[in-house]
Amino acid sequence: MLAQQFAAYDEWRQKLSESLAGFRRWLSDNEICDAQTEQRIERIRERLREDRLYVAFVAEFSRGKSELINAIFFSHYGSRVLPSTAGRTTMCPTELMYDEKKPIGIELLPIETRENTTSIGEYKRTPNEWTQIPLDKDSPEAIQEALRSVSEVWHVSREEADKLGFPTGAKDFGGLAVTRDGLVEIPRWRHALINYPHPLLQKGLVILDTPGLNAIGAEPELTLSLLPNAHAVLFILAADTGVTQSDLGIWKGHIDTRGSSTKGRLVALNKIDGMWDELKTTEEINAEIDKQVVSCADILSVPTSQIFPISAQKGLVAKINEDADLLQRSRLPALEQALSDELIPAKQDIIKESTNVEFSDVYMHARGLLESRLVNLRIQLDELGELRGKNKGVVEYMMGKVKVEKEEFDAGLQRFYAVRRIFTQLTNRLFGHLGLDNLRLLTLKTRKAMDSATFSRTLSGAMANFFNESRACMQQSETDVLEILKMIDAIQKKFVIEHGLKLSNPSGFSLAPYLKDIDRLEEWCNTHLNTVTQLLVNRKNNVMHRFFDEVAHQVRAIFERANYDAEIWLKGLMVPLETQIRDHQFLLRRRLESIKRIHQATDTLEERIKDLLSMEGVLVGQIYAVEGTARNVQRILSTRVGEGGLRDAA
C-alpha cells in the first residue's frame, strides 16, 4: 500500500512538472517569457525533481527497528537486507536513499571527524572524506554483509570518548559499553549514507535509521536538523517492556519536542508475537495488547490511534512466505497504511502550497502583461478610429496628445528610477540585518562573553542573549521587508492609475518560518545544554564547544537559508513592473510612429486599423490560452494522491 501510494505521488510530481514545462513553452512561444520568469518556473521544477520524503525510524537498542525496516521495505528480496540480530545493529545515523549521479554503495564518515567543527551537511559535499564500500545490488547476501559495517565499534579511552562527544560520567559512562580494561565502546563511524536503487528510494524516499539514545545525543545534527525536518517519525517500542525510562528520554528529548503537536509522529509497539500464548484465547491476547497500548499512550501523552501494535519479525516472514493470515495477525498492514496516510498527503500539501504561491505569481505576471498590451492596443484603435475622415489638423492634435502622454510617462520613469535607488538602499539595509556578517559579529561577541565568564549564570546569559539578538535581526529584517513591499505597492498603484498598467499586488515574503526554527533551537539548547545540571557538570570549554559547534552552527544555516530565499524574492519583486514599463514604452513609441505615418500618408490609416484589429484578436486568444494552460497546472495541483492512484480533490 505504501508502494502504490508513493508511486501515485511520484506520478503526480511528474505530471505537475510536465504541465509547468508546457506553461513555460507556451510563454516562450508567445514572447511573454522573460529570463526571470523562466528561472522561476525552472526553480519550481527543480524542487519537484529533488523532492525527498524523509521517514525516520527511532528506537532504543533491541526494539526491532532494523527488522521493521526490512519488513516494510525489503521483504521482496526474500531475506533480511539490514542486519537484524540481538544487540546493537545500528551504531551510527544511517540514511538510505538513491542518487543516480552517485555509484551504488555505502559511504561511511569516520568518527574522528567529530574533533573539528565541520557539520555532516558540509561533509556531504566532500566525498573524499568518506570511506567507500561498493554494493552488489543483485546479491542480498553481499548487501547484508556490507551493511554490517554500520554496526562497527571502536574501543577508546575515557578521555578520547569525551573528546569525541561521548561523555563518560562516573556512574554509567553515558550508557556506553565499557570493556574490562576500562575502555569505552563508541561507534566506528559518525554517519552512513547508503545509495541503493530500491523502487521507493528511486522515487525520492529517504529512510533515516537512527541508533540508540546515547548515539542520538552524541550527534547534534541528528537532533537539531535531521529528526525535526523528517516528514514522519516512527518511534519503536517493545511490547514486553512498554515505555522504559530510556524510551521516554528519547521521546521527550528528541521526538515530542514541539509540545502539543504530534502530527507525523507514529509509535510502533513491536514484538507482540511475544504475547501470543497458545494457552490463552485470541480475545485474552488482544485484551493484553490493548492494555499495553493504553498504557503507552498515557505515558507518551498521545492518542491510542497513534500507537500500532505489530510484529515486525512475523510480518517479514509472512511477506516472504506469502502467508496472508500471518500478515494480518502481525498487524503490519495497519501501520503501513497509517504511514502512507501521514506521509504522502502531508508532503503533497507542502509541495502544493509552495508551488501554488510561486506559480500564481508567474501566471498573474504573464496575464497582466497580456491585458496591459490589450488595453494599449484598444486605446490605439480608438485613437485611429477617431481619425477616420478627419483633416490633417486633427491628426496633428492626436499626435501632440500622444507626445504629451509619452512625456508624462517619461516623467513617471524618473520617479521609477528614484524608487529603484531607494529599493537598492532598502535591500542593503535588509541584508545588513539579515546578513551573515552581522551574525558573525554576534557569534564573536558571544564567544568573547562566554570565554570571559566565571559563573554559570554568565554563561547562560550569553547563550540567551545570542538567541535574543538573532531573533532581533530577523524581526528588524521583517520590518525592512514590509517597508520594501509598501514602497513597491505604492509605485505600482501609481503606474496602474496614471498609465493603465495591469499589475497584481507584489508577492510577500515572511521570516516567520526562520524565527520558528530559531525558537526550536533555543528550546533544544535550554533542554540539553543551557541547564543548571549541564552547566555545573561540564567544563566551560565543553559547553562552549557544544554551543558553537552544534547550536550556533545551526543558527548560521537558518540565516543562510533566509538570505538565499530573500535574494530570490527580491530578484522577482521588480520584474512585473519593469517588464510592463518596457512594454508600455514600446507601445507608446509604436502609437506615435503610427500616427506620424498616417499624418504623412492618410491612405495607411485603414491598413493600420486592420492590422490592429488582427492583433487584438491574437491578444484575446492569447489571454484565453494562458488561462487554459494555467488551469491545467491548477487542475493537477488540486489532484489528491490516494492508494488507488490520482483523483480530483472533492
Side-chain angles (χ1 to χ4, degrees):
M1 59 194 72
L2 180 60
Q4 291 92 330
Q5 202 157 349
F6 211 108
Y9 176 69
D10 186 54
E11 180 189 354
W12 175 77
R13 282 185 305 189
Q14 290 180 19
K15 285 188 174 181
L16 181 57
S17 180
E18 289 167 4
S19 68
L20 288 165
F23 184 76
R24 187 199 63 195
R25 283 194 302 272
W26 187 92
L27 294 180
S28 181
D29 292 343
N30 289 272
E31 300 180 349
I32 304 169
C33 194
D34 53 56
Q36 187 67 29
T37 298
E38 188 160 333
Q39 285 177 9
R40 293 182 72 179
I41 294 174
E42 278 308 297
R43 192 163 61 244
I44 301 173
R45 296 186 71 219
E46 186 68 23
R47 280 204 303 265
L48 290 171
R49 281 193 295 270
E50 296 182 353
D51 178 40
R52 294 285 186 271
L53 284 85
Y54 284 81
V55 183
F57 287 73
V58 182
E60 189 53 288
F61 292 116
S62 300
R63 299 296 186 264
K65 173 170 49 64
S66 297
E67 188 80 326
L68 181 56
I69 296 174
N70 281 325
I72 294 177
F73 299 106
F74 297 110
S75 61
H76 61 286
Y77 285 105
S79 64
R80 293 180 176 91
V81 173
L82 293 182
S84 180
T85 56
R88 304 179 179 190
T89 56
T90 304
M91 288 298 294
C92 67
T94 303
E95 292 180 72
L96 290 88
M97 63 183 70
Y98 182 65
D99 183 348
E100 61 182 8
K101 300 174 185 174
K102 296 169 63 176
I104 297 169
I106 305 174
E107 295 176 86
L108 300 163
L109 185 64
I111 196 67
E112 308 93 277
T113 58
R114 286 183 59 85
E115 291 184 27
N116 58 47
T117 60
T118 308
S119 69
I120 292 172
E122 291 173 292
Y123 271 119
K124 285 179 180 179
R125 296 191 287 268
T126 54
N128 291 338
E129 299 287 344
W130 300 68
T131 297
Q132 313 284 334
I133 300 177
L135 282 179
D136 180 0
K137 66 182 181 68
D138 298 319
S139 171
E141 295 78 14
I143 293 171
Q144 189 176 27
E145 183 60 35
L147 290 177
R148 294 188 191 282
S149 56
V150 300
S151 61
E152 292 177 353
V153 295
W154 253 12
H155 295 99
V156 298
S157 66
R158 297 182 189 181
E159 293 75 16
E160 184 70 15
D162 190 62
K163 186 171 67 172
L164 292 171
F166 298 94
T168 54
K171 290 184 179 179
D172 59 1
F173 296 94
L176 296 172
V178 182
T179 61
R180 290 181 180 178
D181 52 0
L183 296 178
V184 183
E185 185 177 275
I186 65 170
R188 172 69 185 86
W189 309 104
R190 180 180 177 185
H191 200 84
L193 299 172
I194 301 174
N195 194 49
Y196 186 73
H198 182 281
L200 291 183
L201 303 183
Q202 288 176 312
K203 289 179 170 62
L205 178 68
V206 178
I207 301 169
L208 177 61
D209 185 9
T210 64
L213 173 64
N214 304 296
I216 282 181
E219 185 50 67
E221 195 156 345
L222 182 64
T223 56
L224 293 177
S225 179
L226 294 176
L227 281 180
N229 292 326
H231 301 105
V233 174
L234 193 56
F235 184 52
I236 300 105
L237 302 170
D240 55 344
T241 60
V243 183
T244 66
Q245 203 61 37
S246 61
D247 290 325
L248 192 59
I250 293 179
W251 176 261
K252 288 187 173 181
H254 305 296
I255 300 176
D256 189 27
T257 55
R258 285 179 261 186
S260 59
S261 175
T262 56
K263 186 173 178 60
R265 273 59 184 151
L266 304 177
V267 180
L269 189 61
N270 194 21
K271 302 185 180 181
I272 60 169
D273 53 294
M275 304 172 76
W276 296 351
D277 188 338
E278 293 179 358
L279 299 179
K280 293 180 180 179
T281 66
T282 302
E283 290 74 18
E284 288 174 326
I285 294 171
N286 288 339
E288 286 189 16
I289 293 173
D290 291 342
K291 183 180 177 181
Q292 189 69 294
V293 167
V294 171
S295 172
C296 293
D298 184 56
I299 295 172
L300 299 178
S301 300
V302 298
T304 55
S305 59
Q306 280 185 240
I307 298 185
F308 296 85
I310 60 161
S311 170
Q313 192 268 336
K314 298 303 181 188
L316 176 61
V317 171
K319 285 186 174 184
I320 291 173
N321 295 333
E322 298 182 358
D323 187 336
D325 291 337
L326 182 60
L327 183 61
Q328 287 306 312
R329 198 177 179 201
S330 75
R331 304 197 191 187
L332 188 61
L335 175 62
E336 291 179 321
Q337 183 66 58
L339 192 58
S340 297
D341 293 343
E342 284 277 350
L343 178 65
I344 307 296
K347 180 58 174 171
Q348 187 187 20
D349 287 342
I350 293 170
I351 292 293
K352 282 172 66 173
E353 184 179 355
S354 61
T355 301
N356 192 44
V357 168
E358 191 148 13
F359 174 74
S360 296
D361 216 32
V362 170
Y363 164 64
M364 292 306 296
H365 168 48
R367 185 189 170 98
L369 185 59
L370 287 171
E371 288 179 344
S372 179
R373 288 178 182 177
L374 185 61
V375 167
N376 278 283
L377 185 140
R378 284 174 173 168
I379 289 172
Q380 193 173 356
L381 269 172
D382 290 342
E383 288 172 349
L384 296 184
E386 290 176 15
L387 294 179
R388 278 178 166 145
K390 304 296 183 182
N391 57 34
K392 211 166 208 179
V394 174
V395 177
E396 289 174 351
Y397 165 77
M398 193 66 72
M399 188 162 55
K401 181 183 170 185
V402 176
K403 281 182 178 178
V404 170
E405 191 177 334
K406 185 175 181 300
E407 288 168 1
E408 289 175 350
F409 187 75
D410 289 341
L413 281 180
Q414 297 307 311
R415 289 195 297 272
F416 171 72
Y417 295 142
V419 166
R420 281 298 303 262
R421 289 191 291 272
I422 299 171
F423 176 77
T424 301
Q425 293 169 7
L426 290 175
T427 298
N428 291 338
R429 192 170 77 185
L430 168 62
F431 285 118
H433 293 138
L434 193 62
L436 297 178
D437 287 343
N438 203 24
L439 183 66
R440 182 177 58 80
L441 292 175
L442 172 60
T443 304
L444 289 173
K445 185 176 81 170
T446 305
R447 189 183 291 275
K448 186 176 179 181
M450 292 179 73
D451 195 42
S452 61
T454 53
F455 299 101
S456 297
R457 183 180 297 176
T458 313
L459 273 178
S460 179
M463 287 186 272
N465 184 68
F466 176 81
F467 283 108
N468 290 336
E469 292 202 28
S470 297
R471 255 191 303 270
C473 289
M474 286 281 182
Q475 288 160 350
Q476 287 174 319
S477 301
E478 192 87 68
T479 302
D480 296 333
V481 166
L482 292 174
E483 193 168 344
I484 290 171
L485 276 171
K486 185 178 177 182
M487 183 194 69
I488 297 298
D489 186 55
I491 190 66
Q492 283 195 176
K493 285 178 178 174
K494 200 164 189 65
F495 271 87
V496 167
I497 294 168
E498 294 181 358
H499 305 291
L501 271 60
K502 296 286 183 179
L503 293 161
S504 56
N505 293 330
S507 58
F509 179 70
S510 174
L511 289 161
Y514 314 101
L515 280 164
K516 185 178 179 182
D517 283 344
I518 289 176
D519 291 342
R520 176 179 59 80
L521 282 174
E522 184 174 28
E523 181 186 344
W524 185 94
C525 183
N526 290 339
T527 305
H528 295 85
L529 184 59
N530 191 10
T531 67
V532 174
T533 303
Q534 289 288 339
L535 294 176
L536 289 176
V537 170
N538 291 293
R539 295 193 304 271
K540 183 175 75 171
N541 285 344
N542 284 350
V543 173
M544 288 181 63
H545 180 80
R546 288 195 67 190
F547 180 77
F548 289 106
D549 291 355
E550 300 173 11
V551 181
H553 176 80
Q554 291 292 329
V555 172
R556 180 183 173 85
I558 292 169
F559 269 77
E560 286 175 346
R561 289 201 314 272
N563 272 264
Y564 175 78
D565 293 342
E567 190 174 346
I568 289 174
W569 171 69
L570 288 166
K571 283 180 179 178
L573 198 58
M574 297 289 282
V575 169
L577 182 56
E578 289 174 335
T579 304
Q580 289 209 30
I581 283 174
R582 286 196 302 270
D583 214 54
H584 197 75
Q585 277 183 306
F586 174 72
L587 290 170
L588 278 174
R589 285 198 301 271
R590 288 194 64 179
R591 281 171 61 193
L592 191 57
E593 290 167 3
S594 181
I595 294 173
K596 280 181 179 178
R597 286 199 301 272
I598 291 163
H599 182 260
Q600 295 164 359
T602 55
D603 59 338
T604 62
L605 176 59
E606 292 301 327
E607 291 179 14
R608 184 59 183 152
I609 290 175
K610 184 178 178 181
D611 289 343
L612 290 176
L613 285 170
S614 176
M615 290 169 63
E616 181 186 32
V618 171
L619 277 172
V620 170
Q622 286 179 329
I623 290 173
Y624 281 124
V626 78
E627 286 177 351
T629 311
R631 272 198 304 271
N632 183 49
V633 176
Q634 294 289 354
R635 179 183 59 78
I636 295 172
L637 270 173
S638 65
T639 304
R640 298 296 300 176
V641 172
E643 190 178 339
L646 302 179
R647 62 179 184 271
D648 293 335

